[in-house]
Amino acid sequence: MKKKIVVTGGTGYIGSHTAVELMNEGYEVILIDNLYNSEAGVADRIGDITGKKPRLEVFDLCKRKKVNSFFKENKNISAIIHFAAYKAVGESVNKPLDYYRNNLVSLMNLLDAMKEFNIPAMVFSSSCTVYGQPEKLPVTEEAPTQTATSPYGNTKQIGEE
């Protein structure tokens, strides 16, 4: 049986490229995306590249009932790779509540679902913004985090915590 991997934000740039690599390695991939900053046709293009179109579920991860319904209907998920997030630093300054709501509620809903439906692993996509203005380049994971300079960066720091 192929391992099932859920890729949130799966029609975005990084999510779609990750889906291609996973599918080329033999994983069954289910994409979840609300299409805020992408389009459903990306799933077709992934299919063109891999020879098999991934399943795409379009819904908002902030809707807890929908998240639970999805995982209740989809058993044997091996892992979640969580890319879904609002991601523009400047926009986050103009719409901070939107960023906190989307980026943190979606993460908390996924973590709750993992516990409830026994999903053993998650890869959380953070951001280099957690390192602020680094003292040394290139930035490595050993670099100290800095106080966030935007709501976007803060949501990533909170997610890591």
Side-chain angles (χ1 to χ4, degrees):
M1 175 191 290
K2 290 183 183 180
K3 287 189 175 183
K4 282 192 234 179
I5 308 292
V6 169
V7 179
T8 70
T11 61
Y13 183 80
I14 297 171
S16 62
H17 282 73
T18 300
V20 166
E21 294 303 317
L22 289 167
M23 292 175 73
N24 284 339
E25 291 297 319
Y27 291 94
E28 179 182 343
V29 174
I30 303 170
L31 309 176
I32 298 176
D33 207 300
N34 67 2
L35 305 178
Y36 174 76
N37 198 19
S38 61
E39 58 185 55
V42 171
D44 294 324
R45 292 193 288 283
I46 292 170
D48 292 342
I49 293 167
T50 64
K52 183 177 182 195
K53 182 180 170 181
R55 191 168 118 215
L56 171 60
E57 296 286 332
V58 178
F59 66 90
D60 186 342
L61 290 166
C62 291
K63 307 291 185 193
R64 184 172 180 151
K65 287 182 181 178
K66 181 60 183 164
V67 171
N68 286 351
S69 174
F70 169 82
F71 286 106
K72 187 175 186 178
E73 295 169 8
N74 293 276
K75 306 290 184 200
N76 303 315
I77 302 290
S78 297
I80 298 168
I81 301 178
H82 184 44
F83 293 119
Y86 291 170
K87 59 179 174 40
V89 171
E91 182 181 65
S92 79
V93 173
N94 294 326
K95 300 178 178 180
L97 291 178
D98 290 350
Y99 272 69
Y100 284 107
R101 187 175 297 108
N102 183 75
N103 294 0
L104 298 176
V105 171
S106 63
L107 175 60
M108 290 184 289
N109 285 345
L110 286 171
L111 292 170
D112 283 339
M114 289 179 70
K115 185 176 179 181
E116 184 173 343
F117 298 101
N118 299 312
I119 300 166
M122 174 190 275
V123 175
F124 171 71
S125 178
S126 189
S127 171
C128 195
T129 62
V130 302
Y131 300 109
Q133 295 297 320
E135 298 170 13
K136 183 176 157 187
L137 294 173
V139 176
T140 67
E141 289 185 8
E142 287 76 36
T145 59
Q146 312 250 350
T147 301
T149 58
S150 70
Y152 166 70
N154 199 30
T155 67
K156 290 302 182 173
Q157 284 182 333
I158 292 168
E160 285 189 9
E161 291 171 3

